[in-house]
Amino acid sequence: MSFFDRFRLGVAVAVAKTVTALVRSLRLGAASVLPGEIARRLHPNLLQLLSRQVKHGVIFIAGTNGKTTTSLLLRTMLERQGWRIAHNAAGANLVNGLMTALLANTNLIGQLSADYAILEVDENILPKVLPSIQPKFILCLNLFRDQLDRYGEVDTISQRWKEAIAQLPKETVVILNGDDPTLSYLGQQLPQRVLSFGLSEPEAYLDEIPHAVDSIYCPRCGHSLDYQGVYLSHQGDFHCPSCGFEKSKLAIDSRKWPQILIGIYNKYNTLAAVLAAQEIGVDADTLLDTIKNFHAAFGRSEELEVAGKKVRILLSKNPVALNETIRAVNQQRSNGGSSTTLMVLNDRTPDGTDVSWIWDVDTEKLVEKGGTVVVSGDRVYDMALRIRYSQAEGNVCKLIVKEDLQDAIATALEHTPTGETLHILPTYSAMLEVRGILTGRQIL
């Protein structure tokens, strides 16, 4: 590195650390994005320079759902084994967020100290950052429709992933969801070493394929796939009767591993992290103990206590995510643990500006259980209309509409009996608002 490059690197790091200190001292946010954005302008190649300093390599975690939870679980596993980890823990998964995470682990002259960097990566920018950062591991969790105004259909994303990953060194290890037909097919085309995770538990099959499915056609020939059963959306045990394409062989037995948190989607997150940790060399006892004692990332099955009542926040940002959180809530209801649900729908840039996806969600399964549903958010009346259309004649579900979010939270808490849990199902920006209200000031 030339003297000029070292000087630019030092200036970029110093400015980034100063910005971080200012933002945090003034309580303007977590400083998970701005420092990296400014540093990138000062040194355009900073991401590449920093990533090359990670001692044992970079681990990318990509997919529509589950990135933050999986990355936190994997980080915990590796740290308990003694590794030093750089991680974009706040979930800032665009280029500026990745850079900020690496900068946080450097000294004032730009020397980075980390054994591994675990970087949650937005599915749309994965192909764009691979030329700069060549990871040792890539975890591909799933592909669902999410913010069509930004990303397009899952086949488009998959094709971009294939083209970008295929250019990486053959030593790269690709760990992907074998129950997802699109990803299973992707893995079968890559020249790298590919390991698949998935479920081997037919007793967990859904009774029927949900409305919110994206990949029930063969990615090779386009024929309808035959499913022995589905676990979540289009993820399951499948084969193509036309061309013979079938689910990839799994490298992990799901029955041998418990799961973190609630919901079958978290079983997938668990398996992805376990498979990666095993490849790195974490022992089985450490993995099991980490799973047993894992605490949720913010907004992802996070549990709080507010005004003497339990609150669980379940981020629900697309059709599959909301279907699965409804499924998880109903399981809690079956055990007498929940009768009130708060749904918060926003349409800001982090959420996706098109909210028509709510009509692909099986909200009927939520309201048929009765209880109370409170709705709020920027698009409160869109959500209220969807819930109203979900109610069959004679349905006893009580719908409460509250434009003001703080009022909605207070109302939902009032309707939550002591001993039960209030489940809050927000989109992304709504989740941040909800947490700010619950953790930042008194509700009642």
Side-chain angles (χ1 to χ4, degrees):
M1 187 185 302
S2 67
F3 172 80
F4 180 65
D5 277 338
R6 290 184 182 277
F7 176 76
R8 289 180 71 191
L9 175 60
V11 170
V13 171
V15 170
K17 290 187 177 294
T18 300
V19 170
T20 298
L22 285 173
V23 170
R24 291 179 178 173
S25 64
L26 295 174
R27 297 184 179 181
L28 298 176
S32 60
V33 173
L34 184 61
E37 181 60 32
I38 294 175
R40 183 172 62 159
R41 294 177 184 273
L42 295 172
H43 198 313
N45 294 326
L46 189 60
L47 191 62
Q48 186 177 46
L49 289 174
L50 294 178
S51 65
R52 287 179 176 176
Q53 296 184 51
V54 180
K55 186 174 181 181
H56 295 298
V58 174
I59 303 168
F60 274 172
I61 299 181
T64 308
N65 296 336
K67 297 185 292 293
T68 300
T69 298
T70 304
S71 62
L72 178 58
L73 177 58
L74 180 58
R75 171 185 176 169
T76 307
M77 290 172 170
L78 298 190
E79 286 183 334
R80 293 194 59 187
Q81 198 72 12
W83 303 114
R84 296 167 300 170
I85 307 298
H87 176 213
N88 53 339
N93 53 31
L94 302 179
V95 174
N96 44 25
L98 307 185
M99 194 172 294
T100 300
L102 295 177
L103 284 165
N105 290 269
T106 62
N107 60 21
L108 292 176
I109 60 173
Q111 294 178 327
L112 188 146
S113 178
D115 295 307
Y116 288 96
I118 299 176
L119 299 177
E120 169 189 335
V121 184
D122 178 271
E123 58 265 37
N124 202 37
I125 73 158
L126 177 64
K128 300 176 183 178
V129 297
L130 284 178
S132 299
I133 303 179
Q134 296 196 343
K136 185 172 183 179
F137 294 90
I138 301 179
L139 277 65
C140 303
L141 303 181
N142 46 59
L143 279 177
F144 303 120
R145 281 178 297 152
D146 185 51
Q147 301 186 42
L148 290 177
D149 51 307
R150 291 178 58 204
Y151 298 148
E153 294 289 351
V154 296
D155 292 343
T156 303
I157 298 292
S158 173
Q159 183 61 29
R160 292 174 185 162
W161 282 14
K162 187 192 78 171
E163 293 171 358
I165 295 174
Q167 303 303 314
L168 295 175
K170 288 188 171 52
E171 294 76 26
T172 306
V173 179
V174 181
I175 296 174
L176 51 75
N177 188 339
D179 288 358
D180 187 315
T182 302
L183 293 182
S184 191
Y185 182 62
L186 167 66
Q188 293 174 17
Q189 298 180 87
L190 293 174
Q192 288 85 9
R193 182 173 175 231
V194 175
L195 301 173
S196 297
F197 63 91
L199 300 183
S200 303
E201 304 173 35
E203 66 275 11
Y205 286 156
L206 291 171
D207 294 332
E208 58 184 359
I209 296 179
H211 291 112
V213 291
D214 303 307
S215 304
I216 58 174
Y217 294 96
C218 178
R220 179 189 291 167
C221 72
H223 194 278
S224 295
L225 292 170
D226 277 351
Y227 277 88
Q228 182 179 344
V230 294
Y231 297 109
L232 186 163
S233 185
H234 55 263
Q235 296 179 3
D237 297 320
F238 56 84
H239 76 279
C240 177
S242 177
C243 70
F245 166 71
E246 61 183 0
K247 171 177 171 175
S248 300
K249 183 179 179 181
L250 303 181
I252 187 170
D253 184 351
S254 66
R255 294 179 181 276
K256 292 183 178 180
W257 298 97
Q259 72 175 67
I260 56 170
L261 311 174
I262 64 171
I264 200 164
Y265 51 93
N266 276 316
K267 185 64 177 280
Y268 281 108
N269 296 337
T270 304
L271 295 173
V274 167
L275 188 50
Q278 284 181 325
E279 283 296 301
I280 292 170
V282 180
D283 64 85
D285 289 341
T286 299
L287 297 180
L288 288 168
D289 191 61
T290 304
I291 294 169
K292 179 181 177 181
N293 295 289
F294 181 75
H295 295 288
F298 64 96
R300 283 81 170 176
S301 298
E302 181 182 19
E303 296 184 9
L304 304 170
E305 184 169 322
V306 181
K309 296 182 180 180
K310 294 181 180 179
V311 176
R312 181 179 286 128
I313 305 173
L314 298 164
L315 176 64
S316 305
K317 63 191 183 75
N318 52 46
V320 170
L322 186 47
N323 269 342
E324 286 305 305
T325 53
I326 288 173
R327 183 180 174 187
V329 168
N330 282 342
Q331 288 175 344
Q332 297 299 306
R333 284 181 164 188
S334 298
N335 298 325
S338 174
S339 60
T340 303
T341 305
L342 170 59
M343 307 180 76
V344 191
L345 177 66
N346 283 357
D347 62 349
R348 303 173 196 177
T349 299
D351 312 291
T353 56
D354 181 357
V355 298
S356 62
W357 61 267
I358 64 175
W359 294 92
D360 292 329
V361 178
D362 297 322
T363 47
E364 291 79 5
K365 295 184 181 298
L366 178 67
V367 302
E368 69 184 11
K369 299 289 185 179
T372 301
V373 176
V374 183
V375 295
S376 189
D378 298 341
R379 300 297 289 268
V380 57
Y381 292 105
D382 294 78
M383 196 73 249
L385 183 64
R386 179 68 188 100
I387 296 300
R388 180 64 72 190
Y389 269 96
S390 302
Q391 294 178 285
E393 185 176 350
N395 184 271
V396 294
C397 175
K398 182 178 182 180
L399 173 63
I400 301 176
V401 179
K402 294 289 183 179
E403 293 185 9
D404 181 77
L405 180 57
Q406 188 160 343
D407 188 19
I409 293 173
T411 300
L413 284 169
E414 289 173 2
H415 283 80
T416 302
T418 301
E420 290 192 6
T421 298
L422 167 62
H423 287 92
I424 303 180
L425 281 53
T427 54
Y428 187 78
S429 70
M431 178 268 290
L432 298 179
E433 287 185 290
V434 166
R435 289 193 80 255
I437 292 172
L438 292 178
T439 63
R441 50 180 173 247
Q442 190 72 24
I443 300 299
L444 299 174

